[in-house]
Amino acid sequence: MKKSVFGAIITSGILFLFFSCSNDQTVLSGGASYDHTLRIQFREQFDGVEWTEELEGDLLSQRKQLDEALFARRSLETAEGASVVQVPDSEWVHPSIAGFGSLDIGSMPTGLRQVVDSFCEGLLDLSRNKTKSGVYTTLASMMVPGRSYMLSIYLYDTSSYPAAQRFYLGAPFVQGTYWEVPVLFVGEAGSWTMAVHVVQQDEQWRVEQIRYGEFVYE
C-alpha cells in the first residue's frame, strides 16, 4: 500500500520525535507516564494519516485499463480504416525501372496491348531460339505491309545479344492514332531497350516500326 507524500513526511517526523524522546526519557520529567502519553499521541497521529489508497482508490489501475482499451480501439480503427481506403487513380504511384521509366500502361487500349504483348513474346522466343521460322512468319504478319524487312534487320543486329528471359512494357507515348511503346528486354547478362511504333489500320493494330538500342551488360 502506497502512502502519500504528505503522510510519509508526517510519519517520518513523528518517528524521529518518538525515538528521540524515548532515548532521553530518563532525563525528561514525567518518566514512564510521559512515554505512555507520547505513544498515545503518536498512535493518534498515525491513525489520522490519509493513505494514498483511501484518497485515490484504484485510480492508477483504472487509468491503465482505460489506456489499454483506448490504444486497442485506435489500433482496430486504424486497421479497419486501412482496408477500406481508396486512393484515386490520379494519385496512384506506379512502379518504374531506373533508366527506363514508368511501367504505367493503363492508357493503352486492350487491342493495342494484346498486339504489343504478342509481338514482344515472339521476339523473346526468337531471342532464345533464333531458328524458329514459324515465329518469324507470325511476327511479320503483325507488321504493316512492306515493313517486315525491319524484323530481318533487327534479328541480324541482335544475333549476338545474349538471350532474354523477360520483358517489360513502359508508359506509352501517343499522338492521334500513332502509339510508341517502350520495351525493356532483360536477361541474365544484361538488357536492351526497344521502341515499338504501332498504328491502327482498318480497325487493326499493326507494328509500323521498331527501334532498338545496344545490349547493355550488367
Side-chain angles (χ1 to χ4, degrees):
M1 179 174 61
K2 297 181 180 179
K3 303 179 179 63
S4 65
V5 176
F6 177 73
I9 294 175
I10 292 179
T11 303
S12 299
I14 294 175
L15 288 173
F16 176 80
L17 179 62
F18 171 71
F19 287 110
S20 297
C21 293
S22 298
N23 293 333
D24 298 334
Q25 61 179 322
T26 56
V27 297
L28 293 175
S29 61
S33 61
Y34 179 82
D35 181 44
H36 178 70
T37 301
L38 187 60
R39 290 177 183 275
I40 294 176
Q41 292 177 351
F42 169 75
R43 176 54 58 188
E44 291 176 350
Q45 292 289 340
F46 185 82
D47 292 340
V49 173
E50 295 185 43
W51 303 106
T52 301
E53 183 178 10
E54 296 175 353
L55 292 174
E56 297 182 355
D58 296 329
L59 178 60
L60 294 179
S61 61
Q62 292 175 2
R63 286 191 60 183
K64 181 180 179 181
Q65 294 175 359
L66 289 174
D67 289 343
E68 290 176 350
L70 177 61
F71 291 140
R73 184 167 63 253
R74 285 179 176 175
S75 299
L76 180 61
E77 290 174 351
T78 301
E80 291 177 345
S83 65
V84 298
V85 171
Q86 295 183 352
V87 180
D89 292 339
S90 59
E91 299 181 10
W92 180 260
V93 179
H94 294 274
S96 61
I97 298 177
F100 179 67
S102 172
L103 302 181
D104 179 15
I105 57 175
S107 62
M108 294 177 61
T110 302
L112 170 63
R113 179 176 176 178
Q114 290 175 346
V115 168
V116 175
D117 272 334
S118 298
F119 188 78
C120 292
E121 285 286 355
L123 294 180
L124 190 65
D125 198 6
L126 286 178
S127 175
R128 297 167 180 167
N129 187 349
K130 297 178 174 58
T131 62
K132 290 186 176 182
S133 59
V135 176
Y136 176 87
T137 303
T138 300
L139 292 177
S141 66
M142 299 174 66
M143 302 190 71
V144 172
R147 296 296 182 112
S148 59
Y149 70 91
M150 293 183 179
L151 182 60
S152 299
I153 297 175
Y154 167 79
L155 293 177
Y156 177 80
D157 288 343
T158 61
S159 60
S160 62
Y161 288 7
Q165 277 76 43
R166 58 192 179 279
F167 67 88
Y168 300 94
L169 302 183
F173 303 92
V174 58
Q175 183 175 4
T177 59
Y178 187 87
W179 292 71
E180 179 182 333
V181 183
V183 184
L184 177 66
F185 289 91
V186 180
E188 293 181 356
S191 62
W192 74 91
T193 57
M194 172 184 287
V196 180
H197 299 263
V198 187
V199 294
Q200 192 171 27
Q201 291 184 345
D202 301 327
E203 299 183 353
Q204 287 187 337
W205 294 100
R206 294 184 180 274
V207 177
E208 183 185 53
Q209 182 182 358
I210 53 176
R211 294 187 295 108
Y212 44 92
E214 297 292 334
F215 188 88
V216 179
Y217 288 90
E218 300 176 354

